[in-house]
Amino acid sequence: MITTTTRQHTLRGHLPGRHTARAAGSVEHQAVLAARLTVRDKWLLALLHEHRVLTTNQIQDAAFPSDRSTRQRLRDLYLWRAVSRFQPFQQLGSAPMHYVLGPAGAAVLAAEHGLEVKELGYRHDRAMGIAHNQRLTHTVGVNDFFTSLIARTRYAPAATAETLVTWWSESRCARHFGDLTIPDGYGRWRAGRDKAVREVEWFLEFDTGTESLTKVGRKLHGYARLAEATGIATPVLVWLPTTRREAGARSALARVHTDLDNPAAVPVATAAADLLNPTVPHPSPAGAVWLPLTSARADRAGPRYRLVDLPDAWPGLAPPADPTSLADEDEVGEAAVASPYRLPPPSSIPPPAMPNRVARGAT
């Protein structure tokens, strides 16, 4: 039976309750957002700009106490066009929602640093383009590595005082080290209090299992050049999907590592995702999953170290250098300032949550 069809113009209408793209960039909309966005919201916008895409679960790990509060707040940010979202195709089941920086969020972020939106290097179509990027799985995996460390920071016992101090994205690493090597990320982890504080820094190589193991091993040459240029021996942590893949990668890494001019300048450790215990709250790479690579132990034998204890595996390793030795002065610490196409890295830990004074149903 033929029924009345839906009129074409109704199909073109925007989502009820969601501002149009033009309205999202208006002065009026920015004024409304000034009363609605919390400090934590703005931190999340900066995190999305730095790391490109985060899933619902990763955002919950990083900033929210529950699944319900995460979804409610993300819905508000989506309706205000502070963030945009997509859901990738998945063969079995449903993929989590993925979030990127939205037009209104980019305008807020630019205004906060006294810049124009174009000076952020932001384009909405480019931000959403990661939905079809072949490196989406890799980017999400790297971000999952670090957001699990943020969750560990938020829920770790107070006595351990574990903290993710620094999290740099691949693009930031490329800007600083790209002429020599491009790590998938850079991080610093701190644990302990007072005189018992320990800290470790590292470059991350995140393996999804798609690259040849020979190519994985060859990456150490770039880190050797970086260590020679900077005079700093920074551990390289290789995260792999399975222990079986890890065993093969260790053999490939060992062949290259022993042939380096100065192997001690490139400390290497490996770990596998299937070593994490899914039954414990907030499993993360901070646990005892890391196996250092030495010429005498390229296989899986030997004790595994906690992240903060890894320096014990390399007795000659110097303490982490001051961050200003790796980054430009305008990108570090409280004095960090923004310049065109270069924002300071967002804090790796979210600010304290604040109650939202505006009812969520307000328009």
Side-chain angles (χ1 to χ4, degrees), residues 124-192:
H124 188 230
D125 59 341
R126 187 178 299 164
M128 287 296 292
I130 196 172
H132 307 285
N133 194 303
Q134 294 182 352
R135 287 176 56 83
L136 173 62
T137 300
H138 181 270
T139 302
V140 170
V142 171
N143 293 348
D144 200 47
F145 180 97
F146 284 99
T147 53
S148 68
L149 290 175
I150 297 178
R152 173 83 171 218
T153 299
R154 295 175 61 216
Y155 296 105
T160 64
E162 295 177 306
T163 305
L164 179 63
V165 180
T166 304
W167 173 18
W168 283 8
S169 65
E170 180 181 4
S171 59
R172 190 173 297 274
C173 290
R175 184 163 68 242
H176 289 290
F177 317 119
D179 55 335
L180 298 171
T181 187
I182 303 179
D184 293 327
Y186 167 78
R188 282 177 176 244
W189 183 253
R190 180 185 300 153

Side-chain angles (χ1 to χ4, degrees), residues 250 254 257-258 292-302:
R250 289 180 66 81
H257 193 257
T258 54
L293 182 73
T294 65
S295 57
R297 190 174 66 242
D299 58 13
R300 289 179 289 174

Side-chain angles (χ1 to χ4, degrees), residues 4 60 86 100 196 259:
T4 304
Q60 180 180 335
F86 63 90
V100 301
D259 289 337

Side-chain angles (χ1 to χ4, degrees), residues 63 101 125 141 190 212 240 245 252 258 266 284 314 318 333 344 352 356:
L101 185 64
D125 59 341
R190 180 185 300 153
S212 71
L240 301 120
R245 173 80 173 177
T258 54
V266 189
S284 77
W314 305 297
N356 185 19

Side-chain angles (χ1 to χ4, degrees), residues 13-358:
H14 65 276
L15 183 69
R18 191 173 189 230
H19 297 275
T20 63
R22 177 172 295 182
S26 67
V27 175
E28 293 78 8
H29 187 60
Q30 296 303 308
V32 171
L33 288 183
R36 294 182 174 180
L37 294 182
T38 66
V39 176
R40 185 176 61 179
D41 293 334
K42 294 178 181 179
W43 174 82
L44 178 58
L45 298 180
L47 208 67
L48 287 172
H49 177 66
E50 174 78 10
H51 303 292
R52 300 190 65 187
V53 59
L54 293 169
T55 67
T56 304
N57 295 336
Q58 291 170 354
I59 292 172
Q60 180 180 335
D61 281 346
F64 291 90
S66 67
D67 178 73
R68 183 172 181 270
S69 62
T70 305
R71 294 180 184 278
Q72 286 180 341
R73 195 58 184 168
L74 287 176
R75 179 182 180 275
D76 289 342
L77 295 175
Y78 172 72
L79 292 177
W80 299 335
R81 283 193 176 268
V83 301
S84 295
R85 66 189 185 190
F86 63 90
Q87 189 174 29
F89 172 78
Q90 188 167 292
Q91 191 71 32
L92 298 174
S94 298
M97 199 65 71
H98 289 51
Y99 289 86
V100 301
L101 185 64
V108 169
L109 194 59
E112 190 173 30
H113 292 283
L115 302 173
E116 299 291 334
V117 174
K118 64 181 180 181
E119 292 180 305
L120 292 181
Y122 172 86
R123 280 176 41 185
H124 188 230
D125 59 341
R126 187 178 299 164
M128 287 296 292
I130 196 172
H132 307 285
N133 194 303
Q134 294 182 352
R135 287 176 56 83
L136 173 62
T137 300
H138 181 270
T139 302
V140 170
V142 171
N143 293 348
D144 200 47
F145 180 97
F146 284 99
T147 53
S148 68
L149 290 175
I150 297 178
R152 173 83 171 218
T153 299
R154 295 175 61 216
Y155 296 105
T160 64
E162 295 177 306
T163 305
L164 179 63
V165 180
T166 304
W167 173 18
W168 283 8
S169 65
E170 180 181 4
S171 59
R172 190 173 297 274
C173 290
R175 184 163 68 242
H176 289 290
F177 317 119
D179 55 335
L180 298 171
T181 187
I182 303 179
D184 293 327
Y186 167 78
R188 282 177 176 244
W189 183 253
R190 180 185 300 153
R193 295 183 180 277
D194 302 326
K195 295 182 179 180
V197 171
R198 306 193 70 185
E199 189 167 317
V200 61
E201 64 178 348
W202 71 90
F203 292 122
L204 176 67
E205 283 295 332
F206 189 92
D207 177 72
T208 59
T210 57
E211 283 186 327
S212 71
L213 293 177
T214 301
K215 185 176 181 180
V216 173
R218 285 201 300 263
K219 293 181 179 181
L220 296 186
H221 291 296
Y223 290 105
R225 292 192 295 269
L226 179 61
E228 182 181 2
T230 62
I232 302 173
T234 304
V236 178
L237 304 188
V238 184
W239 185 258
L240 301 120
T242 64
T243 51
R244 181 176 180 178
R245 173 80 173 177
E246 182 189 16
R250 289 180 66 81
S251 298
L253 290 165
R255 286 193 294 270
V256 176
H257 193 257
T258 54
D259 289 337
L260 296 178
D261 293 336
N262 184 11
V266 189
V268 179
T270 64
D274 61 3
L275 291 170
L276 299 179
N277 184 356
T279 63
V280 302
H282 313 293
S284 77
V289 296
W290 295 101
L291 185 59
L293 182 73
T294 65
S295 57
R297 190 174 66 242
D299 58 13
R300 289 179 289 174
R304 290 191 180 261
Y305 290 75
R306 293 189 309 152
L307 180 58
V308 75
D309 293 331
L310 269 175
D312 294 340
W314 305 297
L317 184 67
D322 189 292
T324 55
S325 65
L326 289 176
D328 296 339
E329 291 183 358
D330 63 350
E331 290 197 355
V332 179
E334 296 180 356
V337 296
S339 59
Y341 304 105
R342 181 177 296 184
L343 295 186
S347 168
S348 54
I349 303 301
M354 298 176 62
N356 185 19
R357 295 183 293 105
V358 179

